[in-house]
Amino acid sequence: MIYYKTNEEIELLRISNLLVSATLAEVASHIKPGATTNQLDKIAEAFIRDNGGVPAFKGYKGFPFTCCMSINEAVVHGFANDVPLKDGDIVSIDTGVVKNGYVGDSAYTFAIGEIAEEIKNLLKVTKESLYKGIEKATVGNRIGDISWAIQEHTEKKHGYGVVRELTGHGVGKSLHEDPEVPNYGRRGNGLKLQDGLVIAIEPMINLGNKEIFVADDDWTIVTQDGKVSAHFEHSIVVRKNKADILSSFVDIEKAEKDNVHLFSN
Ligand code: MG
Ligand code: MG
């Protein structure tokens, strides 16, 4: 069942998504070698609640944290822990909020200190692929056009592994609504995009091959070959000539630049 949103609902979704973006920017300002993902998760939760939101992930199907903290070979759905972050790590931070009954959902991958050139490139290309997907999210196109654009840029052009088992999704009053938005697919295939469809587009791209497994905690998705994985996510509205991006990386990228411990493209 697909729920197309009214303009009033879309403005509420924008508020929720901008709170997610502000939360990620706040967390970004605290990332440094020695910080733990548990500390960062607590900062995120306090920030969301101080701003009138409720963490959308905490308690979702039993997930125990405010953020998914996925370090290096973890793709998504990682648990926060007390292991200090270190120079050369990358950490994907994915979070969601509920405010006014509507969910915001966005994610960003950060690089701590000096990282290998090939990892810098993975982050750059994965973020680019998100925007290439968003470019296709216009009325009259199909889901497969978004999927194809992401796969073309990451897998075909750069030889990265595109995770198949996890996808983007509709988002609204619920965190996960129809339709699914895969990061691989064929042009001209799938659901025809209509005005007011709100979807989270979220390429999960591996430096090595596409194979993944679920860790012993039953949540964390990890690459089989142990190579790193990147993840960037925006929630967007399908519109006639150009998608409307509800979340924003502007303040996150500013925090990333201002934080001497973070590498920024
Ligand atoms: Mg997310
Ligand atoms: Mg999502």
Side-chain angles (χ1 to χ4, degrees):
M1 174 84 197
I2 290 170
Y3 302 97
Y4 296 93
K5 274 68 179 183
T6 64
N7 287 337
E8 289 74 21
E9 288 182 295
I10 285 164
E11 290 319 306
L12 292 173
L13 282 161
R14 193 186 311 279
I15 289 169
S16 300
N17 274 289
L18 290 178
L19 177 51
V20 170
S21 303
T23 304
L24 291 174
E26 174 68 15
V27 171
S29 71
H30 290 90
I31 302 176
K32 60 181 179 194
T36 70
T37 45
N38 256 333
Q39 290 166 347
L40 299 175
D41 195 72
K42 288 194 171 71
I43 288 166
E45 178 168 3
F47 188 88
I48 290 167
R49 294 191 190 281
D50 286 349
N51 286 281
V54 173
F57 294 2
K58 205 170 191 176
Y60 181 83
K61 296 184 178 171
F63 188 80
F65 299 98
T66 293
C67 303
C68 297
M69 298 281 189
S70 308
I71 300 168
N72 298 335
E73 70 276 13
V75 180
V76 287
H77 304 167
F79 280 11
N81 61 35
D82 290 320
V83 179
L85 292 167
K86 59 182 192 310
D87 227 44
D89 282 343
I90 62 170
V91 56
S92 154
I93 305 182
D94 186 356
T95 195
V97 312
V98 188
K99 192 171 175 177
N100 306 307
Y102 288 85
V103 178
D105 183 14
S106 179
Y108 198 92
T109 302
F110 298 95
I112 300 152
E114 258 319 299
I115 55 163
E117 207 59 41
E118 61 175 3
I119 300 176
K120 287 178 190 171
N121 218 37
L122 173 73
L123 296 180
K124 178 172 169 280
V125 169
T126 303
K127 196 199 275 188
E128 284 169 358
S129 78
L130 168 59
Y131 289 104
K132 286 183 183 293
I134 291 170
E135 268 175 37
K136 300 290 181 192
T138 54
V139 172
N141 275 355
R142 292 178 182 271
I143 289 285
D145 295 313
I146 300 172
S147 307
W148 175 86
I150 294 169
Q151 184 182 17
E152 186 71 13
H153 191 59
T154 54
E155 193 174 271
K156 302 267 168 56
K157 200 163 164 207
H158 290 275
Y160 297 140
V162 175
V163 174
R164 302 298 203 265
E165 293 84 346
L166 297 142
T167 66
H169 51 90
V171 59
K173 285 184 178 172
S174 301
L175 174 59
H176 293 121
E177 296 183 355
D178 291 335
E180 288 191 343
V181 185
N183 297 307
Y184 67 98
R186 297 218 317 267
R187 270 187 288 192
N189 256 39
L191 179 82
K192 200 166 201 178
L193 301 173
Q194 292 182 40
D195 192 73
L197 178 68
V198 178
I199 50 176
I201 301 178
E202 49 180 315
M204 290 158 254
I205 309 298
N206 300 343
L207 182 61
N209 67 44
K210 66 184 192 313
E211 312 306 331
I212 49 108
F213 68 96
V214 184
D216 289 342
D217 61 20
D218 287 335
W219 275 99
T220 312
I221 306 294
V222 187
T223 61
Q224 258 181 32
D225 63 11
K227 292 188 178 174
V228 303
S229 183
H231 179 214
F232 290 87
E233 175 180 28
H234 271 314
S235 292
I236 66 104
V237 191
V238 171
R239 292 302 201 192
K240 194 159 169 243
N241 295 314
K242 192 171 187 285
D244 181 3
I245 305 177
L246 297 174
S247 42
S248 167
F249 289 162
V250 171
D251 288 345
I252 299 169
E253 285 167 346
K254 187 174 184 305
E256 189 182 46
K257 255 195 190 78
D258 290 347
N259 183 339
V260 294
H261 304 290
L262 293 177
F263 168 80
S264 67
N265 273 301

